[in-house]
Amino acid sequence: MENVGRAFLRLFLAAVALLGATGASGQVQGVTDNEVVFGMSAAFSGTAKELGHQMKVGYEVAFAAANDAGGTLGRKLRLVAEDDGNEPGRALTVVKDLVEQKKVFALVGTVGSAAIEAYLPYLFDKRMIMFGSLSGADFLRNDPPDRWIFNFRAGYAEETEALVRYLVKVRHFKPSQIAFFEQKDSYGATGWRGFARQMRRYDYDTERTLRVGYQRNTLDVDEAVKLVHKHAGHLKAVVMVATHHVAAKFIEKLRGVDLVYGNVSAVVGRELADELVQLGPTFAQGVITTQVVPLPDSRATAVLKYQEALHRYAPDERPDFVSLEAYLAAQVLMEGLKRAGKNLNTDSLVDALEGIHGFEMGIGVQVSFGPSEHQGSHKIWGTILDARGNSLPLELE
Amino acid sequence: MALLGELGETSFSDLVQLYVNGHQTVAVRVQSPEGDSGDFYLKDGDLVHARFGTLAGRDAIRAALRLKAGGFRVEPNVLPPARNVHQNWMNLLLEEALKLDEERRGGRTPVPAAQADDAPPRLARVPTKPVAAVPLSTKKPGPGRKALVAVGTLFVALAAGAVFSLHRAESGRSEPAAPSAAPSAAAAPVPAEAGELLLGMVGPFSGSNREIGRGMKAGLELALALANEGGGVLGKKLRLVAVDDGNEPSRAGAAMRELLEERKVFAVVGNVGSAEAKSTLPLALEKKVLFFGALSGDDALRRNPPDRYVFNFRPSYAEEAAAATHYLLSVRHYRPEELAFFGQDDAYGEAGWAGLCQQMKKQGRDPSAVLRTRYARNSLDIEDAVTKVGQAGQKLKGVVMFATYPVAARFIERTKGLGASLVYTADSEVDSSALAEALVQAKVPVGGDLLVTQVVPLPTSQASAVIRYRDLLAAHALGQAPGSLSLEGYLAGTLLVEGLKRAGPVPDTEKLVAALEGLGDLDLGVGARLGFSPTEHQASHKIWGTLIEPDGSYRNVDLE
């Protein structure tokens, strides 16, 4: 009697489990047997529109190539992008629309730290994955990492660390000869954290560092320029955490002062180069920018595939750091989707992504995630501009 | 998990009766509207310990029976510190009801005077005629309402008790089917049921540190509940029973003996306190019982090589002190002569000082330049330390504190009152939210000047392990707010469950030790990999830095 009862119970439980499984896969928002829908909130208008555009191009060509090869496990990947104009207030509305109206499965490739900061609590509340944002901000890199946030790229703090290390170890500048120029918000604060951390390794008290800045959404660099001028006698370099317009303005106004300028990837190498070249040949030359992906015209395996996909699906686009970053992030995402299998939902994708160790695309670095590690790559590449604004590789170590 | 309620809705007698009938082991805490509080302990359905304000034993029970309003909180599976009630609950209730009735009618006390605390135990059998007393008292004209209620309760209780016993007997469970509602005071302790793995814990569940015991227990129980939901470990359900030591090291040894000898627990987990460990650890080692995840960073629990039966989750005090010292030296750029140390004058404070010295030497600095101050354990006497800090004056910039939160709060308030502008550090055993609350309430201006080192992530984190912890907390521990202590309990419990799962079908301590030592590298998503090995019995070496904000909240900061 007891055995029969137990056997029946087991059968019943198995049936419930089965129902649960199929029920779940039928209910997951943005997922069907034929398709997965991703959402992207980014600027497609205003000064940051090029970033949104490049990010979208990178994900789209990656998805297009994968879809032509049959999709992931038979599912085609689709991207719904909406314009938040890089305005925090608008971004929340946009993301709510993506989640509640467009019914996307997850967010990918979001752009703009301040905008992301505005809707992050909403995403946490919805327990929705945000994968591969174009942001190196600290608040997306908590320790331990937030369950729903996965980054492909290194953080801004790692970039400023690498810049300080380069200036001290390779250029042999003293820590006291390096100034810091920042946007006065969380972007600048993240950069400063890495800068200060590296300086501490040289036992240097950053209270003595010349730290200057400007207000977000302004081009007002006069005060910062004046202070740098005042200390120009003993300064050799400036680590900059700024947008490309401001960085160009800052460098322009410091003409005649012999300084090495080091920027982080968020200035977008090409845009900064274009602005500097317009000012004259002397401005661009020697300006350093750290990157979180290899040079877009590299001949590395993954980059060749990217160039091919770009050529085929977006023939009007030039290879670019940002679209390459998006393309590579999409490869990691698709690896996760594959590993999550047919029963795709948020938790199965989180688990699958956390199971990716040493994923090799051929970019010179293996991508790894884990429960305690939600940033795939920590690699920083150096680039230096020549007089005509071409990005050349720079050895940082 | 804990049950909360109002005495206005459920009377104290009803409440106790419920657990008497269920032969349960619980701690009941009541609070009167005037703010008096009491702790009552039932052991296997026997009310054995009572305290209410300054009253103890029977007087305390009498006071609680008269409460018409107030709140209660029931914590299951907490054993009493010692017996101070020697009478059967049913007799007590009856006598008190009659007495109350007499009082109300202006008569003298007919029942014998309340037994003194230390009166010899009277093996009070359940009277065979209690029922007869009921109609007697109900017949009396105009009895006090309370007496009516109490007597009514008795009726219900007897009926319920009988039904309950019947039910139990029928279902063929192993509990002694009590012939009446009340088990005898000499009832043998109920050991772990078949199909159950019993774990034990010694900690404070009364007194000013009771939140520490509760938090740790609540967290451990989450991990056990999760394992039990999945069918337990190899078919066995896990259960935790705790003994209250009232935060007194002198009582911890007896509490531990109760667990090991009477309860025969399989392992001891989440014990609270370093001084307490001095008396509990030797017993565990002698009996070869696993001593797991204690809430203590003491070196006595971290020998090199490690004691076979001792496993820790958290980093040592010395590691925390070293991290705080490194922060002051390297991040704040203070020099040794600009630092002070303020510590409790016992093993806890010594361990903190040792960690500070180690870090100083490691960075090539001289620890003898640091101003060392002390205070006596279990006192708030910090005058000497405050005076010394005052004399040092403006040259001081940072203080490493190893003190409990009321002491730390007062020290900060007093030294700030002297006009000192210092950066303070405190270790993870300080209840950081209580400390912040104390400072904000005392209107001590803070912000960026108090660093608390933590051995678990912020309980508000969105990390996988912490989300799971909060989900479990919401499901199993209604009303328990997320906190560092219960998070630590949950993580430690999770490691223990993992070890048990790997220990094989019939776990014994030796197999469990081997299984734990094989937990090489576990990533629970807390930012650090956790694990043990034969030479490493401490799962985590990770320390987070949190800095206080003006509103008393904390934010993460780099310690490196």
Side-chain angles (χ1 to χ4, degrees), chain A residues 30-214:
Chain A
V31 179
T32 66
D33 286 345
N34 312 316
E35 194 183 55
V36 189
V37 186
F38 294 97
M40 172 192 238
S41 176
F44 297 101
S45 59
T47 54
K49 69 177 180 212
E50 188 61 15
L51 295 178
H53 174 69
Q54 291 295 338
M55 209 62 190
K56 181 163 171 277
V57 166
Y59 272 97
E60 276 178 347
V61 301
F63 286 177
N67 289 344
D68 273 0
T72 53
L73 303 171
R75 291 186 178 111
K76 300 284 164 81
L77 309 180
R78 186 157 63 87
L79 185 67
V80 181
E82 291 189 8
D83 182 15
D84 63 23
N86 201 25
E87 291 165 30
R90 201 165 132 198
L92 179 60
T93 315
V94 164
V95 167
K96 277 187 175 167
D97 182 65
L98 287 170
V99 173
E100 290 165 27
Q101 303 303 319
K102 304 298 189 299
K103 305 274 183 199
V104 300
F105 169 60
L107 293 193
V108 298
T110 45
V111 176
S113 297
I116 295 170
E117 215 165 0
Y119 57 74
L120 200 58
Y122 172 78
L123 286 184
F124 285 157
D125 194 45
K126 293 281 171 194
R127 299 197 163 188
M128 180 165 277
I129 291 175
M130 183 167 78
F131 186 93
S133 299
L134 184 78
S135 168
D138 271 349
F139 70 85
L140 294 177
R141 289 164 176 76
N142 285 328
D143 174 20
D146 299 324
R147 179 168 176 82
W148 326 109
I149 306 298
F150 284 84
N151 298 295
F152 165 71
R153 54 168 289 162
Y156 299 137
E158 288 170 295
E159 293 189 59
T160 50
E161 257 181 87
L163 282 169
V164 171
R165 191 166 53 236
Y166 165 78
L167 294 169
V168 174
K169 289 287 175 191
V170 179
R171 303 295 285 260
H172 299 290
F173 297 155
K174 291 187 194 118
S176 60
Q177 294 172 324
I178 304 169
F180 186 78
F181 174 63
E182 67 183 318
Q183 179 167 301
K184 288 180 178 164
D185 66 357
S186 69
Y187 170 44
T190 297
W192 172 257
R193 199 177 61 84
F195 180 95
R197 193 163 60 189
Q198 190 57 31
M199 284 295 187
R200 287 201 286 275
R201 295 192 180 116
Y202 304 126
D203 243 331
Y204 186 72
D205 184 354
T206 44
E207 291 283 304
R208 284 149 57 200
T209 296
L210 177 66
R211 184 178 178 181
V212 296
Y214 69 98

Side-chain angles (χ1 to χ4, degrees), chain B residues 47-239:
Chain B
L47 182 65
V48 291
H49 185 99
R51 192 193 58 78
F52 191 90
T54 54
L55 303 172
R58 181 142 174 198
D59 295 338
I61 296 173
R62 182 175 304 135
L65 282 171
R66 287 164 198 228
L67 286 176
K68 290 197 180 68
F72 67 81
R73 179 190 169 109
V74 183
E75 188 78 41
N77 289 323
V78 176
L79 287 169
R83 178 176 276 266
N84 71 3
V85 176
H86 303 287
Q87 239 185 326
N88 176 279
W89 163 251
M90 207 51 70
N91 286 354
L92 268 172
L93 191 60
L94 192 68
E95 286 173 14
E96 287 303 322
L98 292 174
K99 187 171 162 187
L100 197 64
D101 189 31
E102 290 290 328
E103 273 175 30
R104 294 270 160 94
R105 296 191 298 134
R108 289 162 318 178
T109 317
V111 235
Q115 281 194 314
D117 260 13
D118 45 2
R122 210 170 61 178
L123 288 186
R125 291 278 158 216
V126 180
T128 43
K129 292 175 245 163
V131 185
V134 176
L136 192 76
S137 70
T138 44
K139 264 185 212 154
K140 289 191 202 294
R145 273 193 66 196
K146 194 75 198 177
L148 254 181
V149 171
V151 169
T153 299
L154 195 61
F155 244 146
V156 174
L158 286 171
V163 170
F164 197 81
S165 306
L166 266 174
H167 173 73
R168 290 221 154 185
E170 255 178 8
S171 64
R173 300 281 293 274
S174 59
E175 280 92 347
S180 74
S184 123
V190 184
E193 290 182 39
E196 187 180 75
L197 202 62
L198 191 62
L199 306 170
M201 166 187 176
V202 176
F205 290 87
S206 55
S208 59
N209 275 348
R210 62 179 178 272
E211 288 305 328
I212 296 179
R214 273 183 198 162
M216 196 68 188
K217 179 164 175 279
L220 287 164
E221 281 176 337
L222 295 182
L224 305 187
L226 184 66
N228 289 341
E229 272 175 10
V233 175
L234 297 160
K236 282 185 189 294
K237 297 277 179 187
L238 305 176
R239 187 160 68 90

Side-chain angles (χ1 to χ4, degrees), chain A residues 304-361:
Chain A
L304 285 177
K305 284 188 191 158
Y306 151 78
Q307 290 160 4
E308 239 167 66
L310 201 64
H311 182 69
R312 182 150 174 210
Y313 300 103
D316 298 337
E317 299 293 336
R318 277 200 287 165
D320 179 275
F321 284 105
V322 177
S323 63
L324 174 57
E325 179 182 333
Y327 175 87
L328 294 172
Q331 304 305 314
V332 182
L333 173 66
M334 291 187 291
E335 175 67 17
L337 290 170
K338 246 180 262 170
R339 288 172 183 235
K342 275 307 223 182
N343 183 20
L344 177 65
N345 58 49
T346 296
D347 283 323
S348 72
L349 181 56
V350 168
D351 291 345
L353 287 169
E354 288 182 346
I356 293 177
H357 298 295
F359 179 60
E360 180 68 82
M361 292 186 278

Side-chain angles (χ1 to χ4, degrees), chain B residues 325-334 336 339 360 363 365:
Chain B
T325 306
H326 182 271
Y327 174 81
L328 294 174
L329 291 176
S330 297
V331 179
R332 294 286 187 158
H333 296 281
Y334 299 155
L339 298 184
M360 288 261 175
Q363 294 190 234
R365 312 293 181 92

